[in-house]
Amino acid sequence: MDAIFTLAQIRQVAAALWKEGKTKKVWAFHAAMGTGKTTFIHALCEELGVKASISSPTFAIINEYISPVAGTIYHMDWYRLRSEEEAVNAGVEDSLNSGAFCLVEWPENAAGLLDDKVFHIHMEILDSHTRRLFTGLLPEE
C-alpha cells in the first residue's frame, strides 16, 4: 500500500490499511517525531470501533483498548525505552506474545523483540497538511 493523504482522508486510509494488514497481529509504525503516528493510530482505532479514550501511551508505554472488530488492541509507544530489557520489564514482550492486536510506535527502540511476521508501516511528512504512508520493509532493513 502506498497512500498520500490529508487529515480529512485519514479514516479512509486507516480502513484501507486495516484491509491490507488485518491478518498481522503486530504492526510497527516507523516515522519521525511529529509525523502523526499517534493521530493515525487514533483514526485506525476509531475505524475499528474502539469507544474508549484513545491517547498516546508515551508515559504508560502500553494502552489497552477493546474493539468489536479486532478484539484487544495494545497501543505501545517505545519512544522512552532505552533497551530491550527495559521493554521486557515494562510488559512489552507479554503484550506482543498475547495474540492480541499490537500497534507499536518507535519499534526501532526494541527491534529485537519483533519477529519477521510484523507488518511494517512507514509514514513521511510531505508538507504541513499531507502525509505519505506505505507498507513493507525499506531496502536498508
Side-chain angles (χ1 to χ4, degrees):
M1 177 176 177
D2 195 336
I4 294 174
F5 64 97
T6 64
L7 191 57
Q9 300 162 317
I10 198 168
R11 288 281 297 265
Q12 292 89 346
V13 175
L17 188 65
W18 173 250
K19 190 173 184 178
E20 178 180 329
K22 66 183 174 184
T23 62
K24 301 283 188 171
K25 287 295 187 177
V26 179
W27 292 18
F29 286 82
H30 304 270
M33 179 78 73
T35 303
K37 294 179 295 293
T38 300
T39 301
F40 189 86
I41 289 171
H42 188 279
L44 176 64
C45 287
E46 285 183 338
E47 190 65 27
L48 297 175
V50 171
K51 299 295 183 204
S53 176
I54 303 161
S55 61
S56 173
T58 300
F59 295 102
I61 309 296
I62 304 170
N63 286 347
E64 181 178 341
Y65 313 121
I66 302 298
S67 159
V69 176
T72 299
I73 298 173
Y74 292 115
H75 177 193
M76 297 182 242
D77 185 331
W78 295 358
Y79 180 75
R80 295 183 330 115
L81 297 178
R82 290 176 181 48
S83 68
E84 289 173 16
E85 181 182 355
E86 188 176 352
V88 169
N89 291 338
V92 163
E93 194 172 41
D94 293 335
S95 296
L96 292 173
N97 294 328
S98 70
F101 189 53
C102 297
L103 307 171
V104 181
E105 298 184 45
W106 300 100
E108 58 276 8
N109 288 357
L113 297 180
L114 301 174
D115 63 26
D116 60 352
K117 297 175 188 168
V118 171
F119 186 47
H120 293 275
I121 298 113
H122 304 271
M123 294 177 67
E124 299 175 340
I125 298 171
L126 299 183
D127 64 38
S128 62
H129 302 289
T130 313
R131 302 295 186 262
R132 176 181 178 219
L133 178 145
F134 59 96
T135 59
L137 293 173
L138 293 174
E140 64 269 14
E141 292 184 321

